[in-house]
């Protein structure tokens, strides 16, 4: 009989999705690291009164990117680092999570409209985003590159190394912004520009990389490390830069102090470390949660 994890891999391959953890990945997607978490009355008291009374927080979540957030083979049950962190924080606060799946690029605008109170999707803290969004940090991830095994591209330490190549990335991401902002570097160096191809789904850009439709992929460090460990003929090239990642909130949201205190409670009692270990991302641990810190440089 196949394990749940093995079945998960098979389902992901049949659906053409991004790879899920397999039995060789060292990840146990079924490990319960959240249910022991208890409500902390002092932390819960930081919530706005109307939220405490409602007993629910509305999350908009981007799902489809292991190990951050992805579906089990039933295509309904969401699992991943973001899911566990969110559910553990909700337990500390004594509220229920009302989670709605949304496209990555749609979540931040929806915070301003009030559709969602909190957004998750491996949102990196940047100066541009801080103008309109507040963040409560919970991991340190960032930008990296992946290529095919036969690529001649050296580890990218300067965007100009991409000149003349086709670069794939996700829509509405910091990667897209970085690439678009730096493409002028190629002309300044007398080189042909790189072309940026943007994808809305992770499965599409991994497929494009495997098929040679793009030369290199720019995405999250944790996501790329995981995906290249699961897919043949792909390899993680290198980290490019680190970014704080956090819960996204409307600017000035009164929820920020409560979420920050809840994350710090999880760090203090060891739950946070158990969650990161479960998903194999211990190098992304932070020492303390912050509210909208400056962008890492």
């Amino acid at each position: 009989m196949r394990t749940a994890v093995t079945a998960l891999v098979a389902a992901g391959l049949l659906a053409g999705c991004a790879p899920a953890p397999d039995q060789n990945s060292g990840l146990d997607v079924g490990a319960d690291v959240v249910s022991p978490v208890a409500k902390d009355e002092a932390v819960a008291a930081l919530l706005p009164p109307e939220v405490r009374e409602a007993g629910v927080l509305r999350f908009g979540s981007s799902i489809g990117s292991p190990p951050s957030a992805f579906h089990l083979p039933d295509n309904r049950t969401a699992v991943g680092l973001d899911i566990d962190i969110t559910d553990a924080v909700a337990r500390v606060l004594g509220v229920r999570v009302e989670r709605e799946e949304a496209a990555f690029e749609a979540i931040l605008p929806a915070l301003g409209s009030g559709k969602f109170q909190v957004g998750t999707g491996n949102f990196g803290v940047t100066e541009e985003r801080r103008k309109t969004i507040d963040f409560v940090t919970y991991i340190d991830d960032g930008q990296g590159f992946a290529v095919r095994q036969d690529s001649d591209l050296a580890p990218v330490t300067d965007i100009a190394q991409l000149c003349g190549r086709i670069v794939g990335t996700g829509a509405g991401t910091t990667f897209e912004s970085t690439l678009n902002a730096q493409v002028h570097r190629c002309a300044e160096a007398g080189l042909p520009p790189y072309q940026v191809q943007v994808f809305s789904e992770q499965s599409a850009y991994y497929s494009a990389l495997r098929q040679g439709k793009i030369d290199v992929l720019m995405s999250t460090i944790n996501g790329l490390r995981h995906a290249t460990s699961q897919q043949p003929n792909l390899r993680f090239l290198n980290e490019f830069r680190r970014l704080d990642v956090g819960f996204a909130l409307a600017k000035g949201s009164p929820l920020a102090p409560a979420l920050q205190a809840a994350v710090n409670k999880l760090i203090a009692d060891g739950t946070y470390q158990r969650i990161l270990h479960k998903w194999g991302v211990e190098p992304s641990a932070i020492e303390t949660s912050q509210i909208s810190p400056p962008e890492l440089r």
Side-chain angles (χ1 to χ4, degrees), residues 20-22 24-31 33 65-70 79-82 84-85 122 139-141 220-230 236 239 242 271-285:
D22 69 9
N24 298 315
S25 69
L27 306 185
D28 181 3
V29 300
V33 291
S65 179
S68 293
F70 57 101
V79 296
L81 171 70
D82 283 355
D84 281 349
I85 290 284
N122 212 301
I139 61 165
D140 168 47
D141 196 347
T220 66
I221 294 168
N222 288 338
L224 291 175
R225 285 190 186 279
H226 170 74
T228 54
S229 74
Q230 303 295 302
F236 181 76
E239 294 187 11
R242 284 276 174 174
T271 301
Y272 175 80
Q273 291 77 8
R274 287 188 287 274
I275 292 173
L276 267 60
H277 177 73
K278 172 181 175 179
W279 297 108
V281 294
E282 293 100 319
S284 284

Side-chain angles (χ1 to χ4, degrees), residues 82-184:
D82 283 355
I83 305 302
D84 281 349
I85 290 284
T86 295
D87 290 349
V89 161
R91 282 180 172 270
V92 172
L93 295 172
V95 297
R96 177 172 56 85
V97 173
E98 186 177 280
R99 183 181 289 112
E100 180 178 334
E101 184 174 356
F104 178 91
E105 61 270 25
I107 293 175
L108 298 186
L111 295 171
S113 71
K115 181 178 181 180
F116 305 128
Q117 293 168 298
V118 190
T120 59
N122 212 301
F123 290 111
V125 180
T126 67
E127 293 306 317
E128 184 63 28
R129 285 177 174 167
R130 289 203 318 147
K131 294 175 183 177
T132 57
I133 299 292
D134 278 342
F135 293 91
V136 173
T137 62
Y138 58 89
I139 61 165
D140 168 47
D141 196 347
Q143 303 176 338
F145 293 95
V147 293
R148 291 181 299 281
Q149 285 286 4
D150 61 359
S151 175
D152 64 351
L153 183 63
V156 178
T157 57
D158 188 315
I159 287 291
Q161 291 173 245
L162 301 174
C163 296
R165 300 186 188 250
I166 303 175
V167 188
T169 195
T173 61
T174 59
F175 322 113
E176 182 185 11
S177 299
T178 296
L179 291 167
N180 289 338
Q182 297 293 320
V183 70
H184 65 89

Side-chain angles (χ1 to χ4, degrees), residues 21-88:
D22 69 9
Q23 67 270 31
N24 298 315
S25 69
L27 306 185
D28 181 3
V29 300
D32 180 7
V33 291
V34 174
S35 65
V37 177
K39 180 180 179 180
D40 185 300
E41 295 292 347
V43 176
L46 298 175
L47 284 169
E50 63 273 17
V51 175
R52 289 202 306 274
E53 292 171 10
V56 64
L57 279 175
R58 300 189 314 277
F59 280 75
S61 300
S62 175
I63 299 174
S65 179
S68 293
F70 57 101
H71 287 117
L72 291 178
D74 62 10
N75 289 320
R76 295 189 305 274
T77 306
V79 296
L81 171 70
D82 283 355
I83 305 302
D84 281 349
I85 290 284
T86 295
D87 290 349

